[in-house]
Amino acid sequence: PYELIRCAPPSTHYQLRRTYDELLTGASMPDEWVGSICSYLFKRHPDCFLENVRPVKLLPTTYKGFTGLIDSRMKAEMEHLGMLELAQGGFRPGMQTQASILRLQYAIEEARATKGRIVIAMLDWFSAFDSVDLGRLYLLFEQMGMHRADVDLLRRCHAGAWVTVRTPFGETARVQVTRGSPQGLSLIHI
C-alpha cells in the first residue's frame, strides 16, 4: 500500500493532503482508519498452542501515515519541553540505542577498574503496548505542558478504535479497543 500511495497520481496526493488537513483541524477519524485486523505470526511449532503465536494488528496505511505526522509534531514538542530523558534515544533524531549500550559498557568497565559495585536493572513490561492507560497518558501530557490541541489530536487518533481477528474460519465481529496502543503505530514510544 505504501508504494501505491507513493506512485499514485497527484490528484490522489492532493486528496490525501486535504483529508489530513481536515483531521488536523478537528474532523473525526474515518471509521475505516481506526479499525485493524489482527492476524497471527507463528513463532514456533506446534502452532496449535496460543503461546506459540504472536498477534499482529494490521493498520491502514493512510492512518499510519497520518499518525507519523502527529508523531513528528509531538516528538518535537516533547524535545522542546524537555520531557525525554537522555536514555530515551533509540527513536530520537541523531541518537541511537547503541549510545545507551556504550554508556552501560563504560559504567561496567569503570566499576571493574575501581573495584566498585554496580547494579544493573532492566525493566521490560509484559504486554507493554496493550497496557497503556490512554486516559492517564493524555492527562500526563497535559500536566507536562503539552498543547491541548495536540493532546486532543492524539485522543481522536485512538477514539473509536476497533479490531477484528482473522481466523482460519473467517474474521470475527468488531471488538472495541479501550486500552493500549497498537504495535507498529509510530506513536507507541511516546
Side-chain angles (χ1 to χ4, degrees), residues 48-176:
C48 58
F49 295 113
L50 203 52
E51 63 267 12
N52 293 344
V53 298
R54 184 174 137 232
V56 177
K57 285 184 183 176
L58 306 173
L59 298 164
T61 303
T62 47
Y63 178 71
K64 288 172 76 170
F66 182 70
T67 56
L69 293 174
I70 298 168
D71 179 63
S72 296
R73 178 176 169 155
M74 292 188 82
K75 279 197 288 189
E77 189 171 354
M78 292 171 82
E79 291 285 352
H80 175 73
L81 293 172
M83 294 171 68
L84 301 173
E85 295 291 329
L86 180 61
Q88 292 176 276
F91 63 89
R92 295 162 82 179
M95 299 183 79
Q96 300 173 349
T97 53
Q98 289 91 334
S100 296
I101 294 168
L102 287 173
R103 279 195 300 276
L104 178 61
Q105 185 177 7
Y106 176 76
I108 292 170
E109 289 172 3
E110 182 75 17
R112 277 191 190 137
T114 62
K115 300 205 186 316
R117 288 182 47 168
I118 187 167
V119 177
I120 300 171
M122 182 181 134
L123 180 60
D124 187 15
W125 279 296
F126 177 75
S127 295
F129 298 111
D130 301 331
S131 61
V132 175
D133 182 337
L134 296 172
R136 287 181 189 240
L137 180 68
Y138 307 143
L139 182 62
L140 178 67
F141 282 162
E142 289 173 359
Q143 289 174 344
M144 294 186 80
M146 192 167 278
H147 292 285
R148 174 94 178 162
D150 288 336
V151 177
D152 288 341
L153 183 59
L154 182 60
R155 191 178 276 122
R156 282 187 288 123
C157 283
H158 291 113
W162 55 268
V163 64
T164 63
V165 180
R166 184 176 289 159
T167 72
F169 309 103
E171 286 186 19
T172 64
R174 290 182 178 187
V175 176
Q176 289 300 123

